């Protein structure tokens, strides 16, 4: 029996190792990790948010679980949080991405949103700037109370 499998999988597919691998890779592609994992986003991802299986297999935590890319492949292909694209001709080209808006992590997306910030500006923006530019030289204490004393 697989009593030694620390990670119990709800699907029970592939036993403890596959479940542990799947959980690990799902973590790599989770929002909380991708937010801070700049290396993964900038060096490993293609413009569609995919990371090759060979890249994932080289990660330290994955290597500590398995060095067999076939095992890794089986693990990620059964994940509901990951989109797995197999390459029948070349297993090394198989790739994975998150199913949850993968494009938002790609370098292309980042540069696009950063440069086109103006597109998101609200139409009444210039109104706001004119108000901001209005002379504000009357300090709190300098105003005389002439205006108030009408009679």
């Amino acid at each position: 029996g697989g009593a030694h499998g620390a990670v119990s999988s709800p699907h029970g597919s592939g036993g403890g190792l596959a479940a542990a691998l799947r959980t690990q890779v799902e973590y790599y592609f989770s929002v909380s990790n991708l937010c801070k994992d700049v290396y993964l986003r900038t060096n490993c991802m293609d413009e569609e948010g995919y990371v090759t299986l060979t890249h994932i297999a080289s990660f330290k935590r994955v290597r500590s679980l398995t060095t067999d890319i076939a095992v890794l492949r089986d693990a990620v292909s059964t994940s509901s949080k990951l989109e797995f694209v197999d390459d029948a001709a070349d297993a090394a080209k198989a790739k994975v991405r998150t199913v949850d808006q993968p494009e938002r992590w790609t370098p292309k997306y980042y540069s696009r949103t950063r440069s086109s910030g103006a597109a998101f500006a609200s139409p009444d923006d210039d109104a706001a700037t004119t108000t901001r530019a209005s002379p504000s030289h009357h300090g709190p204490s300098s105003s005389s109370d002439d205006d108030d004393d009408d009679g």
Side-chain angles (χ1 to χ4, degrees), residues 2 5 14 27-28 31 44-45 51 56 63 69 82 112 123-124 126 137 146 151:
Y27 167 74
Y28 283 133
V31 172
C44 312
M45 252 180 209
V51 179
I56 294 167
R63 277 210 318 266
I69 204 152
L82 302 170
R112 189 170 69 231
D124 43 20
D126 21 15
H137 45 206
D146 287 357

Side-chain angles (χ1 to χ4, degrees), residues 11-55:
H11 333 299
S13 59
L17 176 61
L21 279 166
R22 186 166 52 239
T23 304
Q24 185 58 57
V25 179
E26 283 173 355
Y27 167 74
Y28 283 133
F29 285 95
S30 68
V31 172
S32 53
N33 183 62
L34 283 170
C35 281
K36 54 181 192 285
D37 197 339
V38 180
Y39 173 81
L40 179 65
R41 292 200 316 252
T42 51
N43 296 315
C44 312
M45 252 180 209
D46 67 10
E47 54 280 2
E48 280 155 358
Y50 286 107
V51 179
T52 62
L53 213 53
T54 38
H55 232 122

Side-chain angles (χ1 to χ4, degrees), residues 77-123:
S77 63
T78 55
S79 169
S80 57
K81 296 178 189 168
L82 302 170
E83 184 183 332
F84 175 67
V85 177
D86 204 353
D87 190 314
D90 186 357
K93 288 203 183 85
K95 51 191 184 175
V96 188
R97 69 177 179 179
T98 175
V99 293
D100 179 25
Q101 294 178 273
E103 295 84 15
R104 67 178 153 168
W105 304 111
T106 64
K108 186 175 68 177
Y109 179 89
Y110 270 122
S111 51
R112 189 170 69 231
T113 44
R114 220 184 293 115
S115 57
S116 67
F120 299 111
S122 50

Side-chain angles (χ1 to χ4, degrees), residues 119-144:
F120 299 111
S122 50
D124 43 20
D125 224 31
D126 21 15
T129 31
T130 39
T131 0
R132 221 178 295 125
S134 70
S136 55
H137 45 206
H138 40 265
S141 54
S142 67
S143 67
S144 60

